[in-house]
């Protein structure tokens, strides 16, 4: 046992350091510091994204174009090619769908979230959508999360979606889709608009950063405490 233990003098105190304890402490602290740095980077990105969102809100709506950017207020005029249903969307405690329309404009095709619709026994809307629409809202890049099963294996796909995956939809439709989704603020038929709202998550990520730093400090304190106990047993 003694061959794996070293004596170190720190601030006038003699510490008995086990190599295995030291390696564990070093890896734990290194991991905590990496996680703290990662959360700090996420905090910076969240603050930048929120600032961009706030700046875009201050501008008036402009006609949609290929140069439209994220969180920009735009007005889309186009023809609905078809609609898809985004599943498991809750509004006021009721489960329903978000109606996602594939809209063809003079410049490109894009997805437009027309709003919430109460779930039906069949994959159909109560009121048919018009052929042509003019809606305004904010555009946002969809985030495709990890799924255990390939979405295309669902027999109801793509009419019923679990998430918006642009690459899969582009492959299915056979033509390119604009990389942003418009969230309409204009009410259409009996659909309830689901406009984009954003909270600044800067302080949340800062809290996580401090949390991981404190865990690193406690790991070091715990290591010193164990070393002191080893000394007392000598």
């Amino acid at each position: 046992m003694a061959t794996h233990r070293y004596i170190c003098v720190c601030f006038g105190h003699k510490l008995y350091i086990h190599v295995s304890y030291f390696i564990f402490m070093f890896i734990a602290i290194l991991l905590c510091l990496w996680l703290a740095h990662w959360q700090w980077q996420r905090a910076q990105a969240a603050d930048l994204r929120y600032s961009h969102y706030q700046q875009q809100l201050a501008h008036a709506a402009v006609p949609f174009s290929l140069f439209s950017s994220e969180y920009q207020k735009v007005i889309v005029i186009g023809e609905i090619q078809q609609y898809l249903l985004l599943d498991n969307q809750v509004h006021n405690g009721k489960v329903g769908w978000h109606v996602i329309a594939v809209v063809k404009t003079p410049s490109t095709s894009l997805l437009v979230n027309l709003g919430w619709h109460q779930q039906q026994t069949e994959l159909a809307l109560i009121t048919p959508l018009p052929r042509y629409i003019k809606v305004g809202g904010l555009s946002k890049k969809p985030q495709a999360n990890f799924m255990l099963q390939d979405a295309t294996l669902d027999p109801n796909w793509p009419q019923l979606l679990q998430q918006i995956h642009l690459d899969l939809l582009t492959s299915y439709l056979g033509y390119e889709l604009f990389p942003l989704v418009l969230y309409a603020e204009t009410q259409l038929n009996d659909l309830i608009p689901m406009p984009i709202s954003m909270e600044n998550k800067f302080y949340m990520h800062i809290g996580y950063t401090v949390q991981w730093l404190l865990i690193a400090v406690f790991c070091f304190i715990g290591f010193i405490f164990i070393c002191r106990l080893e000394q007392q047993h000598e």
Side-chain angles (χ1 to χ4, degrees), residues 70-99:
E70 192 169 25
Y71 304 120
Q72 185 178 16
K73 288 183 179 180
V74 295
I75 298 174
V76 169
I77 302 175
E79 179 183 2
I80 295 180
Q81 302 292 301
Q82 66 181 92
Y83 70 87
L84 312 170
L85 302 173
L86 186 60
D87 201 12
N88 298 318
Q89 304 301 314
V90 180
H91 176 68
N92 291 337
K94 297 181 179 180
V95 179
W97 306 310
H98 280 188
V99 180

Side-chain angles (χ1 to χ4, degrees), residues 29 31-44 46 199-218:
I29 290 180
L31 178 61
C32 289
L33 293 178
W34 181 84
L35 289 171
H37 177 68
W38 175 59
Q39 287 295 338
W40 170 253
Q41 288 180 320
R42 295 193 67 186
Q44 297 294 318
E199 297 179 0
N200 192 352
K201 296 185 178 181
F202 173 80
Y203 296 104
M204 181 189 73
H205 291 296
I206 288 296
Y208 289 143
T209 301
V210 174
Q211 169 187 293
W212 286 115
L213 290 176
L214 288 176
I215 293 175
V217 171
F218 289 143

Side-chain angles (χ1 to χ4, degrees), residues 16-85:
Y16 288 78
I17 300 177
H18 281 277
V19 175
S20 58
Y21 294 166
F22 176 80
I23 293 176
F24 177 80
M25 181 272 300
F26 179 78
I27 294 176
I29 290 180
L30 194 64
L31 178 61
C32 289
L33 293 178
W34 181 84
L35 289 171
H37 177 68
W38 175 59
Q39 287 295 338
W40 170 253
Q41 288 180 320
R42 295 193 67 186
Q44 297 294 318
D47 194 46
L48 183 63
R49 185 165 54 250
Y50 185 75
S51 298
H52 177 65
Y53 167 74
Q54 291 289 83
Q55 292 173 0
Q56 294 288 8
L57 286 183
H59 299 153
V62 297
F64 168 77
S65 72
L66 292 176
F67 302 101
S68 296
S69 60
E70 192 169 25
Y71 304 120
Q72 185 178 16
K73 288 183 179 180
V74 295
I75 298 174
V76 169
I77 302 175
E79 179 183 2
I80 295 180
Q81 302 292 301
Q82 66 181 92
Y83 70 87
L84 312 170
L85 302 173

